[in-house]
Amino acid sequence: QINLLNEKSSLLITQYGLNTRCIEKLNSNLNKELIKLKQIEKYMKIEKICVEHFRSLDKVEIILSNLNTFVGPNNHGKTNFLEAINWFYSGKTKLEDKQNYKTDLEIKVEITYSDAQKSLNLMEDGKSKTTFKNMLDGEDTFVVKKTSSDDKRVVFVKGEGKGNPAGFDSALNQFLPKLEYVTTKIKLADVSKF
């Protein structure tokens, strides 16, 4: 908990012209943000993303932190990287997804997740929770790979493939962190509903 109303209050009041009511409002807002950050710590995280042969991307591997920003010149793959992640979560392979339209190259997206047990504990009891509890067998990190050869995602725990049985994608979608991909083609007003 942050409290700006302390010995530093007079410094804030004199240096920045803030009054006590303003500082109380800052306290409230800062503490709300801290609560949100603590909530984020309860969930599974994406640790690493590897993309191969998706549109303009040959092979890209990015290790992530809690907050990430992609910056770079136009036409250097930022959007393709994000669209590869979107494809991983929901897409079927189209010819334009293939690198330079080369049909012999297989698209691969591999995402490493950590803190899986936290998300497992938040799931409602049921078949999906039991499936993942048995699959993870106490492990906290796992990898999901998707390729363009069959458009299926397969879970790997400690390097061992766990397959993709019937109905598995639905359970996997319940378990994985949610992705809301907003393209640059959407107007800001359309995004505000998210």
Side-chain angles (χ1 to χ4, degrees), residues 67-120:
L67 178 64
N68 302 276
T69 305
F70 297 100
V71 179
N74 290 338
N75 296 320
H76 277 70
K78 297 178 303 295
T79 299
N80 286 343
F81 181 77
L82 295 172
E83 288 184 356
I85 298 167
N86 189 51
W87 171 82
F88 169 87
Y89 273 91
S90 60
K92 295 285 183 197
T93 306
K94 298 175 280 202
L95 180 60
E96 60 263 21
D97 293 336
K98 299 271 187 168
Q99 185 183 30
N100 301 322
Y101 297 96
K102 293 179 183 173
T103 56
D104 60 324
L105 295 176
E106 183 176 58
I107 298 170
K108 296 177 189 174
V109 176
E110 179 180 306
I111 300 181
T112 303
Y113 298 90
S114 62
D115 296 333
Q117 295 300 320
K118 290 178 182 179
S119 285
L120 190 60

Side-chain angles (χ1 to χ4, degrees), residues 7 18 23-24 35-36 43 60 114 116 129 177:
E7 65 277 351
L18 301 176
I23 293 172
E24 287 171 352
I35 290 168
K36 286 179 190 175
Y43 298 101
V60 177
S114 62
K129 183 172 183 173

